Amino acid sequence: MWVSKNWKDYELLDCSDGERLERWGKYILVRPDPQVVWVGRKKHKAWKCPDATYERSKSGGGAWKESRLPEEWIVNYDSYRFSVKPMGFKHTGLFPEQAANWEWFAPLIRDAGRKIKVLNLFAYTGGATVAAAKAGAEVCHVDAAKNMVERAKKNMELSGLSDAPVRYIVDDCKKFCEREKRRGNFYDAVIMDPPSYGRGPGGEMWKLEESIDSLIRLTVSLLSEKPLFFLINSYTAGLSPSAMGYILQEELAGKYGGNVVCGEIGIPVAQTGGILPCGGSARWQTD
C-alpha cells in the first residue's frame, strides 16, 4: 500500500461507524466513508465537537450539518497550496491520499532531463496538475466540469504557478482524446482519475469497469515515442488495482518495456496507527 503520510495541514484523526474524523487545517470535519466498515470504535475526543458533519439523506445526496466552517480556506502540502471548500456529496475539493502519487511522479518529471508533456484526464481541482507543473512539466488539464477547472486554476495561482505552461480544457475526456489523436498530439505521461459512473458523448450511461480497457487503449495511443509514466486511479469498488495493472502490462510493457506496479493508496489514522484504504492505483514507468 502507498501511504500519504507527509501531510501537516491534513490529518485523519479517527474513523468508525462508516465515518471519518478529519482535520483540515484548523477545522474538524466528519464525513461518510464506505470503507469504514467497523463500528463502536470512536475513541478520539474530537468526535464530540466537529466544526461540520456531512449527513446523508435517505432520499439520496446529503448536506453539511451544524457547520461552523468558512466558505473556503487554504491547506498546504509541501510547496503546494490548495483551496478547501466543502461541497455536495461530502467532497472538499481535494483527495489527500493522492499525495502518495504526487510524490511518485514529481521526481520522475524533475529527473527526466527533458521537457515532459503530461495529459491529466478527469483532472478535477488539479492536485496532480499542481504537482506536475511544480516539477517542471507542461500540462494539459481536462475535466468536463467548468467549475472544477476554475478551481484548478485557483489552486495553481495559490501555488505560485499562474504562469506555468498549463492548458485548461473543459470537455468530455474521451471526446477530447479522440480529437487529440486525429490532430496528432502526443504526450510523455498520462494521469487519469475516471469516475465510477459517467455519461458518454451521446448521453449514454457507462460504468468504469466496462469502459476501462477501451479508455486506457485510447490514451495509450496518445503517448509519445519515449513515454515516461502512466498513472490511473480508481475509487470503484468493483475495479481492483490488479485489474488496472493487468491492462497497463498488456498495453504498455510489451511495447515500451518498463514496469507496472499496482496497489491500494491510504492514509494513516492518528488515533489507532492503522491505515485507512482510500482507493487504488496502477502505475507504469519506463526503465
Side-chain angles (χ1 to χ4, degrees):
M1 179 181 285
W2 297 302
V3 181
S4 297
K5 56 187 177 182
N6 295 319
W7 280 95
K8 294 182 174 60
D9 279 0
Y10 172 85
E11 189 176 16
L12 179 54
L13 300 173
D14 201 2
C15 51
S16 184
D17 302 86
E19 294 180 317
R20 295 188 189 188
L21 177 71
E22 305 169 295
R23 178 181 63 82
W24 294 80
K26 66 179 182 179
Y27 299 104
I28 306 299
L29 277 61
V30 174
R31 297 192 294 159
D33 190 316
Q35 294 289 341
V36 183
V37 296
W38 45 94
V39 298
R41 303 184 187 187
K42 291 185 175 181
K43 301 175 182 178
H44 199 284
K45 61 182 181 181
W47 283 109
K48 298 178 180 179
C49 53
D51 293 297
T53 298
Y54 186 90
E55 295 183 358
R56 291 195 183 280
S57 169
K58 293 182 180 180
S59 59
W64 293 94
K65 303 294 184 180
E66 300 177 4
S67 177
R68 297 189 295 272
L69 302 175
E71 183 177 353
E72 60 183 298
W73 65 98
I74 307 301
V75 297
N76 298 277
Y77 182 83
D78 193 23
S79 59
Y80 316 149
R81 302 188 76 214
F82 301 107
S83 169
V84 173
K85 183 177 182 180
M87 300 179 287
F89 196 62
K90 77 177 182 178
H91 288 176
T92 63
L94 189 64
F95 292 90
E97 62 273 11
Q98 288 297 329
N101 282 322
W102 308 337
E103 292 177 353
W104 168 68
F105 67 70
L108 296 179
I109 295 170
R110 285 196 298 267
D111 298 339
R114 57 190 170 101
K115 193 69 173 181
I116 299 299
K117 289 179 61 178
V118 174
L119 176 60
N120 187 11
L121 298 171
F122 311 96
Y124 195 48
T125 59
T129 297
V130 168
K134 190 72 116 174
E138 177 183 329
V139 185
C140 182
H141 175 110
V142 188
D143 196 279
K146 183 178 180 180
N147 59 330
M148 294 299 105
V149 174
E150 292 302 316
R151 290 190 63 181
K153 292 179 182 179
K154 182 172 183 176
N155 286 331
M156 291 289 287
E157 293 170 2
L158 290 170
S159 297
L161 295 166
S162 298
D163 297 327
V166 176
R167 183 163 58 127
Y168 300 96
I169 306 293
V170 179
D171 200 354
D172 175 89
C173 288
K174 184 174 182 288
K175 289 170 62 177
F176 174 77
C177 288
E178 290 169 343
R179 286 198 301 274
E180 287 291 87
K181 185 175 180 179
R182 292 195 295 269
R183 289 188 286 244
N185 289 336
F186 299 100
Y187 299 85
D188 304 300
V190 171
I191 300 167
M192 68 163 77
D193 194 351
S196 298
Y197 300 93
R199 291 190 178 275
E204 67 279 9
M205 289 293 296
W206 61 272
K207 293 182 180 180
L208 182 58
E209 305 99 301
E210 300 170 356
S211 306
I212 189 64
D213 186 47
S214 61
L215 181 61
I216 290 177
R217 285 189 178 189
L218 174 60
T219 50
V220 166
S221 72
L222 296 179
L223 289 174
S224 65
E225 293 182 356
K226 294 182 178 180
L228 183 64
F229 70 85
F230 195 111
L231 168 65
I232 179 166
N233 301 299
S234 172
Y235 294 88
T236 303
L239 181 62
S240 72
S242 295
M244 297 188 294
Y246 187 95
I247 301 173
L248 295 191
Q249 184 71 34
E250 289 286 295
E251 292 298 319
L252 288 163
K255 181 177 181 180
Y256 298 106
N259 63 88
V260 174
V261 290
C262 50
E264 291 181 303
I265 51 176
I267 302 174
V269 183
Q271 181 67 38
T272 65
I275 306 295
L276 177 67
C278 301
S281 297
R283 304 168 173 176
W284 172 85
Q285 71 180 84
T286 189
D287 292 320

